[in-house]
Amino acid sequence: MPGVDVQRVLGIETSCDETAAAVVDGGTTIVSSVVSSQVDLHARYGGVVPELAGRAHVELLTPVLADALAAAGSDASGRGIDAVAVTYGPGLMGSLLVGVAEAKALSMAWGVPFVGVNHLEAHLFASLLEQPDLGWPLVVLLVSGGHTLLVEVTAPGTYRLLGGTIDDAAGEAFDKVARFLGLGYPGGPAIDRVAEDGDPAAFAFPRSLLGKGYDFSFSGLKTAVVNEVRKHPEARTEDVAASFRRAVVDVLVSKARAAAADVGARAICLAGGVAANSLLRSEIVAACEADGIGAFVPSRALCTDNAAMVAAAGWWRLANSGASPLTLGADPNLELVPTHSPDLS
Ligand code: KG4
Ligand code: ZN
């Protein structure tokens, strides 16, 4: 499929509980980016309720799109927009469909190309928005509510999976432990806050699969937290949170560091919602400094779900493999397939 050269791409993201739209110029310059979070809607249920998320996207997408277009000097006519990119998976079916249908409609109405973007690939592109001259190869630690992946990136869009979680994702572990500790939803930011006042050495929680390759496991850690708190009901929540956060970060940093040494990476890059974690951010920077390689930690707004990363990944996809057919459907189970890595079988 021939590449398509475009300037301004409108990105749309509705895969989970953020409704987002953004305009990105040339794949790297954010012209506008609007994110409307549904956190308050889902908080009382302790997690994302798929049916509610889908309905909320239907209500929120039109105003979010209008804001993103207006901030980019455009409007409903699509003036100045050269293509429309949208997350088509992985994610919640009902939520994905809202964004995919809207993107196809706009592409047809405006007469511009439509391109479907893999949400995981979009997270990998987030760092390029702030650091377009990142050196290669890179190791990206992609840690979100649904995924925990270590990926070697040898050029934009050229990657190899090094490892992933065999059970819970890192963000899922934060959310489940936070719920157990009564800290509410979403759990990651809550644990991060509370942990600041706790003793990370108060509990010796397990570091699963440490030193054993690049796969991760967090369900044993979650069970260990539950067991310890039941055994020690007097334990300070701050200490449990700090010890838990320390255990997760120890494993994430240690594996990312080993992977970087293994592949001769010039830098480690963080991506995904859990990359907003303060301890993970400071520890990865310290580890990279000690190892004499670069560390790239995107701003928190680009770690969590946003549409600027979708527009950036869409721009790159268009340039390299062209537009997607309008028959492309939402794919809730889409995986990160390293289609551009020549050394993979
Ligand atoms: O990438 P993201 O916004 O959505 C998904 O694609 O999953 O990630 C959301 C996840 C949630 O599990 C949330 O608890 C976690 O990122 N998270 C954090 C922090 N901020 C968000 N986890 C740990 N520490 C944080 N500060
Ligand atoms: Zn995400």
Side-chain angles (χ1 to χ4, degrees), residues 292-336:
I293 58 171
F296 190 66
V297 177
S299 59
R300 283 183 164 81
L302 281 178
C303 290
T304 49
D305 288 350
N306 64 88
M309 66 183 193
V310 176
W315 180 89
W316 188 90
R317 278 270 153 219
L318 279 168
N320 286 273
S321 34
S324 304
L326 285 171
T327 49
L328 183 80
D331 184 350
N333 303 313
L334 190 65
E335 290 186 7
L336 187 66

mmCIF file of all heavy atoms in Angstrom, residues 292-336:
data_model
loop_
_atom_site.group_PDB
_atom_site.id
_atom_site.type_symbol
_atom_site.label_atom_id
_atom_site.label_comp_id
_atom_site.label_asym_id
_atom_site.label_seq_id
_atom_site.Cartn_x
_atom_site.Cartn_y
_atom_site.Cartn_z
ATOM 1 N N GLY A 292 24.467 4.899 32.154
ATOM 2 C CA GLY A 292 25.022 5.728 31.089
ATOM 3 C C GLY A 292 24.195 5.734 29.821
ATOM 4 O O GLY A 292 24.718 5.893 28.720
ATOM 5 N N ILE A 293 22.870 5.544 29.955
ATOM 6 C CA ILE A 293 21.994 5.636 28.771
ATOM 7 C C ILE A 293 20.938 6.711 29.034
ATOM 8 O O ILE A 293 20.785 7.173 30.167
ATOM 9 C CB ILE A 293 21.309 4.278 28.429
ATOM 10 C CG1 ILE A 293 20.472 3.775 29.607
ATOM 11 C CG2 ILE A 293 22.349 3.237 28.013
ATOM 12 C CD1 ILE A 293 19.607 2.577 29.271
ATOM 13 N N GLY A 294 20.214 7.082 27.999
ATOM 14 C CA GLY A 294 19.193 8.107 28.156
ATOM 15 C C GLY A 294 17.932 7.562 28.809
ATOM 16 O O GLY A 294 17.678 6.355 28.798
ATOM 17 N N ALA A 295 17.151 8.465 29.397
ATOM 18 C CA ALA A 295 15.849 8.077 29.949
ATOM 19 C C ALA A 295 14.853 9.061 29.396
ATOM 20 O O ALA A 295 15.115 10.263 29.398
ATOM 21 C CB ALA A 295 15.852 8.168 31.461
ATOM 22 N N PHE A 296 13.743 8.559 28.897
ATOM 23 C CA PHE A 296 12.744 9.507 28.474
ATOM 24 C C PHE A 296 11.414 9.221 29.145
ATOM 25 O O PHE A 296 10.833 8.142 29.012
ATOM 26 C CB PHE A 296 12.591 9.577 26.953
ATOM 27 C CG PHE A 296 11.730 10.747 26.627
ATOM 28 C CD1 PHE A 296 12.191 12.029 26.891
ATOM 29 C CD2 PHE A 296 10.445 10.582 26.194
ATOM 30 C CE1 PHE A 296 11.369 13.136 26.702
ATOM 31 C CE2 PHE A 296 9.614 11.680 25.995
ATOM 32 C CZ PHE A 296 10.093 12.955 26.250
ATOM 33 N N VAL A 297 10.966 10.200 29.905
ATOM 34 C CA VAL A 297 9.755 10.069 30.701
ATOM 35 C C VAL A 297 8.780 11.144 30.216
ATOM 36 O O VAL A 297 8.938 12.311 30.541
ATOM 37 C CB VAL A 297 10.121 10.289 32.193
ATOM 38 C CG1 VAL A 297 8.913 10.235 33.068
ATOM 39 C CG2 VAL A 297 11.157 9.259 32.641
ATOM 40 N N PRO A 298 7.796 10.754 29.387
ATOM 41 C CA PRO A 298 6.872 11.755 28.841
ATOM 42 C C PRO A 298 6.086 12.453 29.953
ATOM 43 O O PRO A 298 5.938 11.910 31.051
ATOM 44 C CB PRO A 298 5.913 10.934 27.970
ATOM 45 C CG PRO A 298 6.552 9.608 27.786
ATOM 46 C CD PRO A 298 7.452 9.396 28.957
ATOM 47 N N SER A 299 5.583 13.638 29.661
ATOM 48 C CA SER A 299 4.750 14.338 30.642
ATOM 49 C C SER A 299 3.557 13.438 30.979
ATOM 50 O O SER A 299 3.137 12.612 30.167
ATOM 51 C CB SER A 299 4.268 15.671 30.077
ATOM 52 O OG SER A 299 3.534 15.431 28.899
ATOM 53 N N ARG A 300 3.003 13.643 32.179
ATOM 54 C CA ARG A 300 1.923 12.753 32.629
ATOM 55 C C ARG A 300 0.744 12.749 31.646
ATOM 56 O O ARG A 300 0.120 11.726 31.401
ATOM 57 C CB ARG A 300 1.453 13.165 34.015
ATOM 58 C CG ARG A 300 2.406 12.712 35.112
ATOM 59 C CD ARG A 300 1.853 13.074 36.488
ATOM 60 N NE ARG A 300 2.519 12.351 37.565
ATOM 61 C CZ ARG A 300 3.691 12.696 38.076
ATOM 62 N NH1 ARG A 300 4.350 13.726 37.598
ATOM 63 N NH2 ARG A 300 4.228 11.995 39.076
ATOM 64 N N ALA A 301 0.453 13.899 31.052
ATOM 65 C CA ALA A 301 -0.693 13.995 30.136
ATOM 66 C C ALA A 301 -0.494 13.124 28.900
ATOM 67 O O ALA A 301 -1.461 12.664 28.301
ATOM 68 C CB ALA A 301 -0.905 15.444 29.728
ATOM 69 N N LEU A 302 0.751 12.888 28.521
ATOM 70 C CA LEU A 302 0.986 12.041 27.341
ATOM 71 C C LEU A 302 1.145 10.576 27.723
ATOM 72 O O LEU A 302 1.174 9.701 26.862
ATOM 73 C CB LEU A 302 2.221 12.529 26.580
ATOM 74 C CG LEU A 302 1.982 13.751 25.696
ATOM 75 C CD1 LEU A 302 3.267 14.196 25.027
ATOM 76 C CD2 LEU A 302 0.913 13.476 24.641
ATOM 77 N N CYS A 303 1.306 10.285 29.031
ATOM 78 C CA CYS A 303 1.376 8.883 29.468
ATOM 79 C C CYS A 303 -0.019 8.276 29.483
ATOM 80 O O CYS A 303 -0.243 7.165 29.003
ATOM 81 C CB CYS A 303 1.964 8.801 30.882
ATOM 82 S SG CYS A 303 3.714 9.214 30.955
ATOM 83 N N THR A 304 -0.978 9.015 30.061
ATOM 84 C CA THR A 304 -2.343 8.483 30.117
ATOM 85 C C THR A 304 -3.010 8.684 28.742
ATOM 86 O O THR A 304 -2.475 9.371 27.879
ATOM 87 C CB THR A 304 -3.152 9.183 31.236
ATOM 88 O OG1 THR A 304 -2.976 10.584 31.101
ATOM 89 C CG2 THR A 304 -2.649 8.777 32.606
ATOM 90 N N ASP A 305 -4.179 8.051 28.561
ATOM 91 C CA ASP A 305 -4.806 8.044 27.236
ATOM 92 C C ASP A 305 -5.083 9.457 26.716
ATOM 93 O O ASP A 305 -5.616 10.303 27.439
ATOM 94 C CB ASP A 305 -6.107 7.232 27.286
ATOM 95 C CG ASP A 305 -5.815 5.744 27.399
ATOM 96 O OD1 ASP A 305 -4.636 5.355 27.238
ATOM 97 O OD2 ASP A 305 -6.765 4.979 27.643
ATOM 98 N N ASN A 306 -4.722 9.678 25.462
ATOM 99 C CA ASN A 306 -4.937 10.980 24.824
ATOM 100 C C ASN A 306 -5.015 10.741 23.317
ATOM 101 O O ASN A 306 -4.685 9.653 22.834
ATOM 102 C CB ASN A 306 -3.790 11.927 25.175
ATOM 103 C CG ASN A 306 -2.462 11.447 24.627
ATOM 104 O OD1 ASN A 306 -2.112 11.757 23.500
ATOM 105 N ND2 ASN A 306 -1.719 10.639 25.391
ATOM 106 N N ALA A 307 -5.453 11.745 22.572
ATOM 107 C CA ALA A 307 -5.611 11.547 21.123
ATOM 108 C C ALA A 307 -4.429 12.076 20.332
ATOM 109 O O ALA A 307 -4.305 11.768 19.148
ATOM 110 C CB ALA A 307 -6.902 12.217 20.657
ATOM 111 N N ALA A 308 -3.541 12.851 20.981
ATOM 112 C CA ALA A 308 -2.366 13.360 20.261
ATOM 113 C C ALA A 308 -1.491 12.177 19.838
ATOM 114 O O ALA A 308 -0.970 12.129 18.717
ATOM 115 C CB ALA A 308 -1.586 14.320 21.149
ATOM 116 N N MET A 309 -1.359 11.195 20.727
ATOM 117 C CA MET A 309 -0.535 10.019 20.383
ATOM 118 C C MET A 309 -1.196 9.216 19.243
ATOM 119 O O MET A 309 -0.505 8.598 18.428
ATOM 120 C CB MET A 309 -0.301 9.138 21.618
ATOM 121 C CG MET A 309 -1.540 8.476 22.187
ATOM 122 S SD MET A 309 -1.166 7.540 23.697
ATOM 123 C CE MET A 309 -2.686 6.589 23.890
ATOM 124 N N VAL A 310 -2.508 9.252 19.172
ATOM 125 C CA VAL A 310 -3.228 8.541 18.097
ATOM 126 C C VAL A 310 -2.982 9.244 16.766
ATOM 127 O O VAL A 310 -2.707 8.601 15.739
ATOM 128 C CB VAL A 310 -4.746 8.477 18.413
ATOM 129 C CG1 VAL A 310 -5.517 7.829 17.269
ATOM 130 C CG2 VAL A 310 -4.989 7.728 19.720
ATOM 131 N N ALA A 311 -3.042 10.583 16.795
ATOM 132 C CA ALA A 311 -2.796 11.352 15.574
ATOM 133 C C ALA A 311 -1.347 11.143 15.111
ATOM 134 O O ALA A 311 -1.086 11.003 13.909
ATOM 135 C CB ALA A 311 -3.070 12.834 15.820
ATOM 136 N N ALA A 312 -0.402 11.110 16.056
ATOM 137 C CA ALA A 312 1.021 10.929 15.704
ATOM 138 C C ALA A 312 1.235 9.553 15.069
ATOM 139 O O ALA A 312 1.891 9.421 14.026
ATOM 140 C CB ALA A 312 1.892 11.087 16.945
ATOM 141 N N ALA A 313 0.679 8.524 15.694
ATOM 142 C CA ALA A 313 0.826 7.164 15.149
ATOM 143 C C ALA A 313 0.110 7.067 13.801
ATOM 144 O O ALA A 313 0.580 6.394 12.877
ATOM 145 C CB ALA A 313 0.259 6.139 16.131
ATOM 146 N N GLY A 314 -1.036 7.754 13.677
ATOM 147 C CA GLY A 314 -1.791 7.738 12.418
ATOM 148 C C GLY A 314 -1.009 8.406 11.296
ATOM 149 O O GLY A 314 -0.987 7.915 10.161
ATOM 150 N N TRP A 315 -0.354 9.506 11.625
ATOM 151 C CA TRP A 315 0.456 10.224 10.623
ATOM 152 C C TRP A 315 1.538 9.294 10.090
ATOM 153 O O TRP A 315 1.768 9.185 8.892
ATOM 154 C CB TRP A 315 1.097 11.463 11.278
ATOM 155 C CG TRP A 315 1.953 12.263 10.351
ATOM 156 C CD1 TRP A 315 1.541 13.286 9.555
ATOM 157 C CD2 TRP A 315 3.350 12.080 10.101
ATOM 158 N NE1 TRP A 315 2.609 13.773 8.829
ATOM 159 C CE2 TRP A 315 3.735 13.045 9.139
ATOM 160 C CE3 TRP A 315 4.328 11.213 10.591
ATOM 161 C CZ2 TRP A 315 5.038 13.166 8.659
ATOM 162 C CZ3 TRP A 315 5.621 11.318 10.114
ATOM 163 C CH2 TRP A 315 5.976 12.288 9.163
ATOM 164 N N TRP A 316 2.188 8.582 11.032
ATOM 165 C CA TRP A 316 3.279 7.678 10.642
ATOM 166 C C TRP A 316 2.746 6.504 9.814
ATOM 167 O O TRP A 316 3.328 6.123 8.809
ATOM 168 C CB TRP A 316 4.006 7.188 11.900
ATOM 169 C CG TRP A 316 5.220 6.429 11.538
ATOM 170 C CD1 TRP A 316 6.472 6.925 11.359
ATOM 171 C CD2 TRP A 316 5.280 5.039 11.239
ATOM 172 N NE1 TRP A 316 7.317 5.932 10.970
ATOM 173 C CE2 TRP A 316 6.624 4.757 10.884
ATOM 174 C CE3 TRP A 316 4.351 3.996 11.225
ATOM 175 C CZ2 TRP A 316 7.044 3.485 10.524
ATOM 176 C CZ3 TRP A 316 4.770 2.731 10.862
ATOM 177 C CH2 TRP A 316 6.103 2.490 10.515
ATOM 178 N N ARG A 317 1.610 5.955 10.239
ATOM 179 C CA ARG A 317 0.986 4.835 9.502
ATOM 180 C C ARG A 317 0.641 5.269 8.072
ATOM 181 O O ARG A 317 0.874 4.534 7.114
ATOM 182 C CB ARG A 317 -0.302 4.381 10.193
ATOM 183 C CG ARG A 317 -0.080 3.442 11.334
ATOM 184 C CD ARG A 317 -0.075 1.996 10.871
ATOM 185 N NE ARG A 317 0.738 1.210 11.774
ATOM 186 C CZ ARG A 317 1.548 0.228 11.411
ATOM 187 N NH1 ARG A 317 1.673 -0.111 10.150
ATOM 188 N NH2 ARG A 317 2.258 -0.429 12.281
ATOM 189 N N LEU A 318 0.050 6.453 7.953
ATOM 190 C CA LEU A 318 -0.327 6.956 6.623
ATOM 191 C C LEU A 318 0.905 7.091 5.740
ATOM 192 O O LEU A 318 0.901 6.661 4.587
ATOM 193 C CB LEU A 318 -1.004 8.326 6.753
ATOM 194 C CG LEU A 318 -2.478 8.313 7.143
ATOM 195 C CD1 LEU A 318 -2.941 9.704 7.531
ATOM 196 C CD2 LEU A 318 -3.330 7.774 5.990
ATOM 197 N N ALA A 319 1.975 7.657 6.304
ATOM 198 C CA ALA A 319 3.185 7.891 5.517
ATOM 199 C C ALA A 319 3.823 6.569 5.085
ATOM 200 O O ALA A 319 4.398 6.469 4.000
ATOM 201 C CB ALA A 319 4.177 8.713 6.329
ATOM 202 N N ASN A 320 3.696 5.535 5.921
ATOM 203 C CA ASN A 320 4.386 4.278 5.633
ATOM 204 C C ASN A 320 3.539 3.202 4.989
ATOM 205 O O ASN A 320 4.042 2.433 4.172
ATOM 206 C CB ASN A 320 5.026 3.729 6.912
ATOM 207 C CG ASN A 320 6.246 4.534 7.259
ATOM 208 O OD1 ASN A 320 7.343 4.253 6.774
ATOM 209 N ND2 ASN A 320 6.068 5.576 8.049
ATOM 210 N N SER A 321 2.258 3.097 5.379
ATOM 211 C CA SER A 321 1.459 2.040 4.763
ATOM 212 C C SER A 321 0.135 2.515 4.199
ATOM 213 O O SER A 321 -0.694 1.700 3.800
ATOM 214 C CB SER A 321 1.283 0.870 5.734
ATOM 215 O OG SER A 321 1.194 1.295 7.049
ATOM 216 N N GLY A 322 -0.070 3.829 4.179
ATOM 217 C CA GLY A 322 -1.257 4.364 3.520
ATOM 218 C C GLY A 322 -2.514 4.317 4.384
ATOM 219 O O GLY A 322 -2.489 3.930 5.550
ATOM 220 N N ALA A 323 -3.623 4.700 3.768
ATOM 221 C CA ALA A 323 -4.891 4.793 4.487
ATOM 222 C C ALA A 323 -5.477 3.409 4.771
ATOM 223 O O ALA A 323 -5.098 2.421 4.142
ATOM 224 C CB ALA A 323 -5.877 5.603 3.652
ATOM 225 N N SER A 324 -6.399 3.350 5.728
ATOM 226 C CA SER A 324 -7.115 2.099 6.027
ATOM 227 C C SER A 324 -8.393 2.073 5.200
ATOM 228 O O SER A 324 -8.968 3.122 4.910
ATOM 229 C CB SER A 324 -7.510 2.038 7.502
ATOM 230 O OG SER A 324 -6.392 2.195 8.322
ATOM 231 N N PRO A 325 -8.883 0.870 4.883
ATOM 232 C CA PRO A 325 -10.162 0.804 4.170
ATOM 233 C C PRO A 325 -11.301 1.199 5.107
ATOM 234 O O PRO A 325 -11.204 0.992 6.320
ATOM 235 C CB PRO A 325 -10.260 -0.675 3.781
ATOM 236 C CG PRO A 325 -9.393 -1.386 4.766
ATOM 237 C CD PRO A 325 -8.303 -0.435 5.161
ATOM 238 N N LEU A 326 -12.367 1.746 4.537
ATOM 239 C CA LEU A 326 -13.501 2.140 5.389
ATOM 240 C C LEU A 326 -14.250 0.921 5.932
ATOM 241 O O LEU A 326 -15.158 1.057 6.756
ATOM 242 C CB LEU A 326 -14.444 3.058 4.605
ATOM 243 C CG LEU A 326 -13.909 4.478 4.430
ATOM 244 C CD1 LEU A 326 -14.775 5.268 3.462
ATOM 245 C CD2 LEU A 326 -13.814 5.206 5.759
ATOM 246 N N THR A 327 -13.841 -0.271 5.489
ATOM 247 C CA THR A 327 -14.447 -1.490 6.030
ATOM 248 C C THR A 327 -13.787 -1.895 7.350
ATOM 249 O O THR A 327 -14.244 -2.828 8.011
ATOM 250 C CB THR A 327 -14.267 -2.657 5.031
ATOM 251 O OG1 THR A 327 -12.903 -2.690 4.620
ATOM 252 C CG2 THR A 327 -15.168 -2.500 3.826
ATOM 253 N N LEU A 328 -12.718 -1.207 7.746
ATOM 254 C CA LEU A 328 -12.021 -1.570 8.993
ATOM 255 C C LEU A 328 -12.989 -1.453 10.172
ATOM 256 O O LEU A 328 -13.654 -0.429 10.333
ATOM 257 C CB LEU A 328 -10.827 -0.615 9.219
ATOM 258 C CG LEU A 328 -9.960 -0.910 10.428
ATOM 259 C CD1 LEU A 328 -8.990 -2.045 10.124
ATOM 260 C CD2 LEU A 328 -9.161 0.332 10.849
ATOM 261 N N GLY A 329 -13.061 -2.503 10.985
ATOM 262 C CA GLY A 329 -13.960 -2.465 12.133
ATOM 263 C C GLY A 329 -13.180 -2.320 13.425
ATOM 264 O O GLY A 329 -11.947 -2.355 13.424
ATOM 265 N N ALA A 330 -13.901 -2.133 14.540
ATOM 266 C CA ALA A 330 -13.244 -2.075 15.841
ATOM 267 C C ALA A 330 -12.775 -3.480 16.214
ATOM 268 O O ALA A 330 -13.450 -4.460 15.898
ATOM 269 C CB ALA A 330 -14.228 -1.554 16.882
ATOM 270 N N ASP A 331 -11.610 -3.586 16.845
ATOM 271 C CA ASP A 331 -11.081 -4.890 17.245
ATOM 272 C C ASP A 331 -10.657 -4.832 18.710
ATOM 273 O O ASP A 331 -9.550 -4.407 19.036
ATOM 274 C CB ASP A 331 -9.891 -5.264 16.349
ATOM 275 C CG ASP A 331 -9.354 -6.649 16.664
ATOM 276 O OD1 ASP A 331 -9.777 -7.227 17.696
ATOM 277 O OD2 ASP A 331 -8.509 -7.142 15.905
ATOM 278 N N PRO A 332 -11.557 -5.274 19.625
ATOM 279 C CA PRO A 332 -11.282 -5.160 21.065
ATOM 280 C C PRO A 332 -10.026 -5.915 21.499
ATOM 281 O O PRO A 332 -9.420 -5.570 22.504
ATOM 282 C CB PRO A 332 -12.517 -5.786 21.720
ATOM 283 C CG PRO A 332 -13.548 -5.842 20.667
ATOM 284 C CD PRO A 332 -12.857 -5.887 19.346
ATOM 285 N N ASN A 333 -9.635 -6.964 20.763
ATOM 286 C CA ASN A 333 -8.497 -7.789 21.184
ATOM 287 C C ASN A 333 -7.244 -7.569 20.344
ATOM 288 O O ASN A 333 -6.338 -8.403 20.353
ATOM 289 C CB ASN A 333 -8.885 -9.274 21.134
ATOM 290 C CG ASN A 333 -10.092 -9.539 21.993
ATOM 291 O OD1 ASN A 333 -10.156 -9.081 23.142
ATOM 292 N ND2 ASN A 333 -11.076 -10.233 21.451
ATOM 293 N N LEU A 334 -7.196 -6.470 19.638
ATOM 294 C CA LEU A 334 -6.049 -6.192 18.775
ATOM 295 C C LEU A 334 -4.743 -6.273 19.585
ATOM 296 O O LEU A 334 -4.678 -5.787 20.710
ATOM 297 C CB LEU A 334 -6.212 -4.779 18.215
ATOM 298 C CG LEU A 334 -5.260 -4.334 17.111
ATOM 299 C CD1 LEU A 334 -5.471 -5.158 15.854
ATOM 300 C CD2 LEU A 334 -5.486 -2.840 16.792
ATOM 301 N N GLU A 335 -3.734 -6.908 19.006
ATOM 302 C CA GLU A 335 -2.441 -7.015 19.698
ATOM 303 C C GLU A 335 -1.411 -6.154 19.003
ATOM 304 O O GLU A 335 -1.609 -5.720 17.865
ATOM 305 C CB GLU A 335 -1.992 -8.470 19.724
ATOM 306 C CG GLU A 335 -2.864 -9.282 20.654
ATOM 307 C CD GLU A 335 -2.387 -10.702 20.828
ATOM 308 O OE1 GLU A 335 -1.295 -11.015 20.320
ATOM 309 O OE2 GLU A 335 -3.114 -11.465 21.464
ATOM 310 N N LEU A 336 -0.301 -5.951 19.687
ATOM 311 C CA LEU A 336 0.788 -5.173 19.089
ATOM 312 C C LEU A 336 1.564 -6.116 18.188
ATOM 313 O O LEU A 336 2.337 -6.951 18.657
ATOM 314 C CB LEU A 336 1.697 -4.622 20.183
ATOM 315 C CG LEU A 336 2.774 -3.646 19.723
ATOM 316 C CD1 LEU A 336 2.162 -2.368 19.191
ATOM 317 C CD2 LEU A 336 3.715 -3.323 20.866
#
